[in-house]
Amino acid sequence: MAANVMLAIHEKKATAVDLYRPLRQYIASAYSERDAATADDDLCAVRDLRAAAVESPSLPDSSSLEQRRAALLAYARALALVEPRFPISPDRAHVHSLSFTWHDAFKTNKKIALAADRTTDVGIRTACGAFQSAAGAFAWLRESGVAAKAVAAGATTVDVTPDCAAMLEKLMLAQAQECFFEKVIAGGKPPALCSKVARQVGVFYEEAYAALCAPPLSQHFDRTWVSHVQLKAAQFYADACYRFSLDLHQQEEIAQEIARLKIGMNALADAKKAAKGVAAPLLDSVNKLESNMKTNLDRAMKENNSVYLMRVPEAGTLGALPAASLVKSTSLAEVLDASNERLFSSLVPDGSMKALSKYTEMVDDIIRTQAEKLQQSSEITRVRLKEMDLPDSILSLEGNVSIPADLKEDVEAVQISGGPAGLEAELQQLRDLNRVNQELLVQTEEMLQKEASEDAQFRTQFGSRWTRPQSSTLTKNIQDRLNLFAGNLKKAAASDALIERDVKESYPLMSILDRRPIESALPSISRPIMSLDGNEDAIVGALKQSLRQLESLGAQRAGLEDHLKEMKRKDDILPKLMAGVGAHDDLFRKEIAKYDPICAEIADNIVAQEQLLLQIQEQNAQFAAVFNLDDYKVARERCYKQIAAAVAKYQAIKKNMNDGLNFYVSLQDATGKIQQQCSDFIMTRNIQCREMIEDVQRKLAGFNLSSSSHNTNTPRSSSVPPDQHSPSPPPHAPHAQSSYGAPPGGDPRPVYSQPESRPPYSQPYPTYGAPPQQPPYGAAHPGQYQQHPQQHQPPPGHDYGQPAYPGWRGPYYNGQQPQPQQPGPYPQAPYSAPGAYPPHHQSNYYRPQ
């Protein structure tokens, strides 16, 4: 392998030129002295950029090479701004006293081999990138017209002609691909891949060698250049044969292995005979490759003669070796873009600007007219094919049926949400939520009944001394709310039953939505059972071929439109306008003529499409008659309507279910708040109960002492009324620490404001997609009742009636009559009648009364 042997292209040399004075004189004469003074800094900048570009480079190293490259690119961008503003020619009205001299880059008697350390991955990548950038520079020189203009001017060297630029581009690509070859070999890649990379290296070298052997380059380059490129081309062709033979040997294709090795060795032998003055490392690499190939050839021939006994094919019968290109020329468009540079930005002649504006309008009119023709033609094609139901009918025949995009989106949304098969799970959620709400209402009611029973017991025991209001007078509003909730819950259960019945009755209609993919539910075109002449396949084949041709015409139109836009983008005639004199009509005609060929292509495309559409119309008529497309279209439309009706029904049922879920969640939240309110009420009543008992006991004790002092000689009567006896707390009077009113006697029963035994549905239902809501029940915020029961601080804001006893100032008993509670937006009873099929789009299951 020719490691570290590459060809270097040295910089051109130039003579010093004073740019400042000629350019300033032109500005002063063509514009004004003031403009010349304003442009003084820009003139100095251009002069300095040229001086930096033409100076002799120092010894090459990585940093100095990058600086050198940056200086050359900066000068190139400056020239892109100078050229359209300063016409340089012998004309006295132009910059006529300025000329440039550049020497040929290949007449410097320098060495042709360049050593570079490519033993590391970083080095290989750097070298490969540099070669591709160099290839891009020569491609730009060839494509941008700079080389052609230089040749037309008659004052150029061979090294910047289009032919030489093309050859140097191929040479740089060959050396960049060679870097990749070194990388795959070092990485131990399979022989087949290495062969493809090596073959492409050889192809690039062969193209460069062909250009070197043709005029005008054949008499210009040193013979060592030609020999080097020729030997490289042969070397990498032989290396590709060698690597390919290794792969053949692994597959035991011994005969082909022998043939490939012989072909490669013959190519090496012929190239070595013509090699004159090539670098010694290159010859060493070629000799080593030749030795390896000979060793493998001898081994293969011995194995074939003793074991395989295969006939070795002739060289002409073998196919070409495959190649894989891994490099391309790097575009210089970005690094040479001078649009952001500000040099001479104010120097544009007014006449040139007006002429440019006129020309731009002419080009825009052409682009607009042709673009409208292309778009109109594409729209005609779309409409005509839709009228003929193409290509859908062909796809249906092949089993590739489809449904309208909007209907498919609706079906996919239904299937993502669970589909009809998933409705049973949501029905179960409604049942569970109804049960949970029912349990909460029962628990709350039992709490109030228990507290009322205890109050009645104490009232019986203490008689008139038990002065606090009855529980029923204090909990009337709460009872009313609980009764309202219970009524709404009963009506919601009825609505749930209607939903469940609707799901059951509509499932046969909706079951089509569970088909995956939904296209499997559509009818398809079938071949006729009886065939008279058996030409169905021919009819279908001809129609498909015409559709492919129509598609090709459409792609061609898209390419033509893009080409039009690209032509306009590159169409910059400002330099020509600024360099010309007199009227610009001839220039306009010449430049506008560039668009004639593409306009003709567009016209031909439209004519060809119209003819093809007529042909397709005739072929489709035959196709429709043979395959009975009318019946298929009727069945397909019927299926579309069935799917649409199923989607609408599913959406209506789903909305009703969501309304029910939201209702239950809101009702549960409101019931939980009332339950917490009841718990706080019971806790306060328990505290009041204990304090009232203690107060009654103190009063009775004082009464007994007074009676004893006034009636010391009076026998104690045994007929004291029951309410005059010293009262004592009930055996199990509520203790201050027992929250939520544990009943006297028996085990305390917990209040289930958030019962632990509650199923998962007792919490808000994030999985149902119900958004958190503020309960519309007029209940206070949960944070209003967060007093710990052991702190004996009843919640504020509740007025339950008369003082319990003299001196009591609890927040529930403030000496006022209970105020009627304002009605709030409680969960209302639902409607109970679902709409009949076809389904309504608005739910009527859980609508407020």
Side-chain angles (χ1 to χ4, degrees), residues 26 87 89 91-94 352 575-587:
Y26 175 78
S89 75
D91 193 319
R92 301 295 297 179
H94 294 170
S352 298
K576 297 178 181 178
L577 291 172
M578 297 178 67
V581 293
H584 303 293
D585 294 341
D586 292 340
L587 177 63

Side-chain angles (χ1 to χ4, degrees), residues 136-157:
F138 291 117
W140 175 84
L141 188 66
R142 172 177 53 84
E143 296 172 355
S144 64
V146 173
K149 286 191 293 185
V151 172
T156 185
T157 55

Side-chain angles (χ1 to χ4, degrees), residues 641-660:
K641 293 179 180 178
Q642 180 184 356
I643 294 174
V647 169
K649 188 63 178 176
Y650 176 88
Q651 291 172 342
I653 292 176
K654 187 76 172 177
K655 184 179 186 304
N656 291 337
M657 288 185 170
N658 289 337
D659 291 344

Side-chain angles (χ1 to χ4, degrees), residues 68-84:
R68 185 72 183 145
R69 181 174 182 270
L72 292 172
L73 290 174
Y75 181 54
R77 288 192 294 270
L79 290 180
L81 299 173
V82 168
E83 181 181 10

Side-chain angles (χ1 to χ4, degrees), residues 300-502:
M301 293 182 66
K302 182 177 180 181
E303 292 177 356
N304 190 46
N305 293 334
S306 60
V307 178
Y308 296 98
L309 303 177
M310 295 181 179
R311 184 178 65 85
V312 178
E314 298 293 333
T317 62
L318 299 177
L321 290 174
S325 178
L326 303 179
V327 297
K328 64 179 181 179
S329 301
T330 302
S331 174
L332 292 185
E334 182 175 353
V335 295
L336 291 179
D337 183 14
S339 59
N340 295 326
E341 303 290 339
R342 304 302 302 167
L343 291 175
F344 309 112
S345 58
S346 61
L347 297 181
V348 178
D350 183 65
S352 298
M353 288 302 300
K354 290 181 179 179
L356 179 63
S357 177
K358 180 180 178 180
Y359 176 78
T360 302
E361 290 179 1
M362 297 169 64
V363 173
D364 287 344
D365 183 64
I366 293 175
I367 300 297
R368 182 172 53 256
T369 302
Q370 299 302 318
E372 289 175 355
K373 290 181 180 180
L374 292 172
Q375 293 170 4
Q376 183 179 9
S377 181
S378 298
E379 181 64 16
I380 290 174
T381 299
R382 186 190 67 81
V383 172
R384 296 277 290 277
L385 289 180
K386 186 173 181 61
E387 291 173 352
M388 293 183 285
D389 200 26
L390 292 173
D392 291 347
S393 56
I394 294 292
L395 295 175
S396 177
L397 181 64
E398 298 172 347
N400 299 320
V401 293
S402 62
I403 65 175
D406 54 346
L407 186 58
K408 184 175 178 63
E409 291 178 0
D410 291 340
V411 173
E412 289 176 347
V414 169
Q415 294 177 344
I416 291 173
S417 66
L423 293 177
E424 178 58 33
E426 298 194 26
L427 286 173
Q428 186 60 42
Q429 292 173 7
L430 292 175
R431 300 185 195 107
D432 292 340
L433 285 170
N434 185 283
R435 175 179 54 79
V436 168
N437 277 276
Q438 187 69 40
E439 290 175 356
L440 282 174
L441 289 175
V442 170
Q443 292 167 5
T444 307
E445 184 69 28
E446 289 177 350
M447 291 167 57
L448 294 177
Q449 292 176 358
K450 183 177 180 182
E451 193 279 330
S453 176
E454 293 174 357
D455 181 70
Q457 177 183 347
F458 290 128
R459 192 174 305 281
T460 301
Q461 179 179 354
F462 297 120
S464 61
R465 291 185 179 88
W466 195 254
T467 60
R468 70 173 181 174
Q470 292 185 5
S471 297
S472 60
T473 64
L474 303 177
T475 60
K476 183 179 183 306
N477 289 338
I478 295 179
Q479 289 286 0
D480 291 343
R481 295 170 71 185
L482 291 176
N483 292 336
L484 178 61
F485 289 178
N488 286 347
L489 190 60
K490 182 178 180 180
K491 293 181 180 179
S495 294
D496 294 346
L498 292 175
I499 293 176
E500 188 167 356
R501 187 179 69 185
D502 198 12

Side-chain angles (χ1 to χ4, degrees), residues 210 251 294-295 323 357 363 370 494 595 656 667 712 844:
Q251 303 177 28
K294 186 176 185 307
T295 300
S357 177
V363 173
Q370 299 302 318
Y595 294 91
N656 291 337
L667 180 61
T712 55
N844 56 359

Side-chain angles (χ1 to χ4, degrees), residues 725-838:
H725 285 289
S726 175
S728 60
H732 299 282
H735 194 271
Q737 297 296 328
S738 61
S739 63
Y740 305 107
D747 296 333
R749 179 173 182 178
V751 177
Y752 295 91
S753 61
Q754 293 293 333
E756 294 181 0
S757 61
R758 185 182 301 171
Y761 308 105
S762 63
Q763 299 295 335
Y765 300 92
T767 57
Y768 304 153
Q773 301 179 5
Q774 292 295 331
Y777 305 96
H781 193 276
Q784 185 176 349
Y785 305 110
Q786 297 302 319
Q787 302 292 343
H788 196 280
Q790 294 184 1
Q791 297 175 350
H792 310 302
Q793 296 181 2
H798 295 274
D799 303 328
Y800 287 98
Q802 299 297 328
Y805 55 87
W808 171 254
R809 291 295 182 265
Y812 287 105
Y813 307 94
N814 58 3
Q816 299 177 2
Q817 293 294 330
Q819 300 295 325
Q821 185 168 348
Q822 295 297 326
Y826 313 131
Q828 298 298 314
Y831 285 101
S832 58
Y837 182 82

